[in-house]
Amino acid sequence: MKLYPESAAVQLEFDKIKELLVNHCQSHFAQEKARELRIHTHKKFVETDLRQTHEFKQLISAGIYFPNDYVLNLAKELKLLSIAGAVLQGEELIQIRKLSESIEKIFRWFNEERKVAYPGLLELVQHTYYEKEIVALIDEVIDDQGAVKDAASDAFKDIRLNLYRKRTELRRVFDRIISKLNKQGYLAEIEESFMNGRRVVAIFAEFKRAVKGVLHGESDSRKTTFIEPEETMPLNNEIADLENQERKEVYRILRQLTARLSAHADLLHIYHAVLGEYDFARAKARFAIQINGEYPVVHDKAFVQLVQAYHPLLYLYNKKAGKETIPVSIQLDESRRILVISGPNAGGKTVTMKTIGLLQMMLQSGLLVPVHPSSEFGIFKQLMIHIGDTQSLEFELSTYSSHLIHMKHFMEHANGKTLFFIDELGSGSDPNLGGAFAEVILLELIRKHSFGVVTTHYLNLKIMAGKTSGIVNGAMAFDEQKLQPQYQLIVGKPGSSYTFSIAERIGLEKRLIDKARALVEDDQYKLDKLLNRTEQDLRDIAKKDKELAQLIRENERLQKEMQQVMDKERHQQQVAVLREQNKISEQRIAYLKDMERKLKQITMEWKKEEDKPKLIKQMAALLFNRPEGKKASKMQKKIESKYREVGGEIKIGDKVKMKRNHQVGEVLEIKSKRAVVKIGLLPMQVELNDLVVVKEAAVPSK
């Protein structure tokens, strides 16, 4: 993205965003990438970076482990690996091994399920592969501590074995010499020492001539001398020669290993870059969590639609101070390309403008931004900004002259892929003349199909925005009663500068305020008051709309609860009906079982009983003379005690009884062969032939 002027990134505080991002990076690779954060102008690159950041944010938020634990800064080691004849030491080779192991863990982490769930992170390793020979080559030569293994070569194995033997022999000789000298009283210390790489004994200075050998030095007090005994000199010489051979063989082995690894130098450079990319993605994800960043929708066109957007630095500052940050919502599209923001000073006009510009730069850099996820961003090729006093002493330019030079650049280079920001357009000159030039500038930028935000106090620009296609007014809310800015953008209407209200707020004498009012043209003052009143009325309407919306939500909640209560009551009635029907069924089953038992008894007695007619009468009485009254349910008895059947035609308003379950209700409606009967609180449909008209029974007088 082209920035104008060069200081645009600093003016929009993009440099502070990069420093915050650097603090989350662990590797030098990621830190350097954060400092040189690139602002992309192609949707493909923007989407890739955003997706990778979003996926790593999901991992962190869900507490899912990702295997990039090692912080490896191996630029120097990998550079040596590419130089012919270079030698990497054991510790450096261990780091190379860790680099290869880290890549292997990442490849293993991406199982089939994670490949589908995290395609953005997978893309970082899709163009490389894991080479197991790298670890195998190092493990063949180097142990876990970075030392060369004895089995690295046959010659090295022999040297190490001879060294072990000679050192063991030297130890036995020294033990014998120390024991002898100690008995003679010559030793100052019973332990041997090392000087110049040779084993020596500490002898009292007065006995130094009594011990044959080479004098290697004296103590600071000159009371002790260090002598290499004559008996150990051949062994020391042999050990020194073997140690020299060992160093040469180690150097040869490491050089050979470095040469063999150099064949994989390019691949190791890729590994190092991949781990750096994952560290960078993790840093962006952690920064996104810090600023409450989200992944918005991205379009491959010039477009801005911010929903509940925050300035990230202001958000962090207010969060630390325990203050609330007021979000901004704005849309710039084909029908409204330029937003003209008016309103009082210190009301948030410049912060709103900086918020839009900074978030656009952050998004095109692949950073998640503090907005509602439903926000939509376009892609811009260039960003132009003009904020603050630009008086130039170097070129002897006044504020307004410098302002016009910047505006000249805007008009000459702006196009349909340009996003611009102008603070106090036309200021620094006569209001009438400066306002006229400001109109010309806006018309030219509209003609170039550019997108942008402009702040102003000029009345003619507010009027122009109201009647010019592609330009829309916006105002920063101000509470005139409390005389406090509310830092909230209201799109669609111009705002007042609240000049006299702010004067009252700071305690200026009323006499001076009234005198200033008298100097203002009557129409100008009336218009300003009209803007004040309109803004207050709109705020009241917005407040009432909010209250109405809350009441509607409450009504919907109560309606839902009532429906749940009705559903519950209907269910309980249905359960009661089914329960009563089950009782009747149980009684019938019990009756039939009893009848079956009695019939079996009569059948068994048929053969024995001579009086057959008697048994026939018992059977007839059992089958045809069942006492129905005794089988009536408790509910039926209760209903019969309160109501009596009168029969007749069923009409609306009649009390009726259901023949099946003996429940009583009121007829609300008759539909063909069905009636709607209200039983309890709820109505239900019942067949007409299952109903009988009843009336309340008279209560007997006492």
Side-chain angles (χ1 to χ4, degrees), residues 598-599 602 605-606 609 611-626:
K598 290 179 178 179
L599 287 172
I602 291 172
E605 292 178 357
W606 179 267
E609 182 64 45
D611 191 359
K612 304 296 184 184
K614 178 182 177 182
L615 291 177
I616 292 172
K617 288 181 181 180
Q618 291 179 0
M619 189 178 296
L622 183 64
L623 293 174
F624 306 112
N625 297 322
R626 181 166 61 92

Side-chain angles (χ1 to χ4, degrees), residues 8-18 311 313 354 358:
V10 175
Q11 291 185 57
L12 289 175
E13 300 179 290
F14 188 59
D15 57 324
K16 294 181 181 178
I17 295 295
K18 291 193 288 186
H311 191 291
L313 299 177
K354 285 186 173 182
L358 180 58

Side-chain angles (χ1 to χ4, degrees), residues 603-668:
T603 303
M604 291 173 64
E605 292 178 357
W606 179 267
K607 297 178 181 179
K608 301 177 183 179
E609 182 64 45
E610 295 180 359
D611 191 359
K612 304 296 184 184
K614 178 182 177 182
L615 291 177
I616 292 172
K617 288 181 181 180
Q618 291 179 0
M619 189 178 296
L622 183 64
L623 293 174
F624 306 112
N625 297 322
R626 181 166 61 92
E628 295 290 341
K630 295 181 180 180
K631 303 297 185 290
S633 66
K634 291 182 180 179
M635 179 178 286
Q636 182 179 359
K637 291 179 180 179
K638 185 177 180 181
I639 294 297
E640 289 177 351
S641 66
K642 293 180 64 178
Y643 300 94
R644 60 184 178 84
E645 295 183 5
V646 297
E649 184 182 356
I650 299 173
K651 299 185 296 295
I652 295 174
D654 286 346
K655 293 280 188 181
V656 293
K657 181 176 72 173
M658 296 175 64
K659 295 177 182 179
R660 292 184 180 179
N661 56 21
H662 307 289
Q663 286 189 311
V664 175
E666 181 182 351
V667 178
L668 299 178

Side-chain angles (χ1 to χ4, degrees), residues 234-424:
L235 284 173
N236 274 333
N237 289 336
E238 290 181 28
I239 290 173
D241 182 58
L242 287 171
E243 287 175 345
N244 187 43
Q245 292 180 36
E246 181 186 37
R247 283 191 294 272
K248 288 181 179 180
E249 185 62 15
V250 166
Y251 181 82
R252 188 194 67 79
I253 291 170
L254 292 179
R255 183 174 179 178
Q256 185 183 46
L257 175 59
T258 304
R260 295 175 71 184
L261 287 174
S262 66
H264 304 290
D266 292 340
L267 185 60
L268 288 168
H269 275 287
I270 294 174
Y271 287 176
H272 191 248
V274 166
L275 288 186
E277 291 288 355
Y278 279 119
D279 182 34
F280 185 55
R282 176 172 56 185
K284 291 191 293 182
R286 287 178 173 173
F287 179 59
I289 293 172
Q290 182 184 10
I291 64 172
N292 199 24
E294 295 289 350
Y295 185 5
V297 179
V298 180
H299 298 280
D300 195 12
K301 63 178 182 178
F303 181 83
V304 175
Q305 183 179 335
L306 303 184
V307 180
Q308 297 178 9
Y310 296 90
H311 191 291
L313 299 177
L314 182 62
Y315 173 79
L316 291 177
Y317 174 80
N318 286 341
K319 184 179 179 181
K320 187 176 181 181
K323 298 179 181 178
E324 181 186 6
T325 306
I326 308 298
V328 59
S329 296
I330 182 177
Q331 180 171 342
L332 299 178
D333 52 29
E334 292 296 330
S335 61
R336 41 185 177 183
R337 293 175 173 272
I338 299 176
L339 174 66
V340 177
I341 304 178
S342 50
N345 288 322
K349 297 192 300 296
T350 305
V351 172
T352 299
M353 190 163 54
K354 285 186 173 182
T355 300
I356 301 167
L358 180 58
L359 294 186
Q360 188 66 43
M361 293 177 69
M362 288 175 61
L363 179 105
Q364 290 190 219
S365 301
L367 300 178
L368 301 183
V369 287
V371 297
H372 191 273
S374 63
S375 299
E376 300 180 33
F377 282 76
I379 304 293
F380 291 91
K381 300 287 186 181
Q382 58 180 345
L383 185 145
M384 301 178 181
I385 183 170
H386 179 65
I387 295 178
D389 185 6
T390 54
Q391 183 176 11
S392 176
L393 297 178
E394 181 182 357
F395 297 103
E396 298 181 353
L397 295 176
S398 66
T399 299
Y400 189 65
S401 299
S402 178
H403 178 79
L404 283 183
I405 287 177
H406 285 286
M407 293 305 98
K408 178 175 179 290
H409 181 90
F410 278 39
M411 290 184 287
E412 289 177 350
H413 296 88
N415 54 45
K417 288 285 189 178
T418 299
L419 181 63
F420 67 86
F421 302 94
I422 306 173
D423 193 22
E424 302 294 349

Side-chain angles (χ1 to χ4, degrees), residues 509-522:
E509 287 185 43
K510 190 175 184 303
R511 173 180 60 85
L512 299 176
I513 296 173
D514 291 340
K515 189 174 181 180
R517 281 198 182 113
L519 295 174
V520 177
E521 293 181 9
D522 190 51

Side-chain angles (χ1 to χ4, degrees), residues 423-440:
D423 193 22
E424 302 294 349
L425 177 60
S427 62
S429 179
D430 179 270
N432 292 324
L433 301 180
F437 266 116
E439 286 191 41
V440 172

Side-chain angles (χ1 to χ4, degrees), residues 6 9 49 57 62 95 103 164 207 248 300 312 323 359 389 409 437 443 469 527 532 550 574 596 625 627 632 680:
E6 293 182 358
D49 284 355
K57 180 189 172 188
Q95 294 299 308
I103 290 295
Y164 173 76
F207 302 120
K248 288 181 179 180
D300 195 12
K323 298 179 181 178
L359 294 186
D389 185 6
H409 181 90
F437 266 116
L443 288 173
S469 176
L527 180 59
N532 294 359
Q550 186 174 356
Q574 291 174 349
E596 181 185 17
N625 297 322

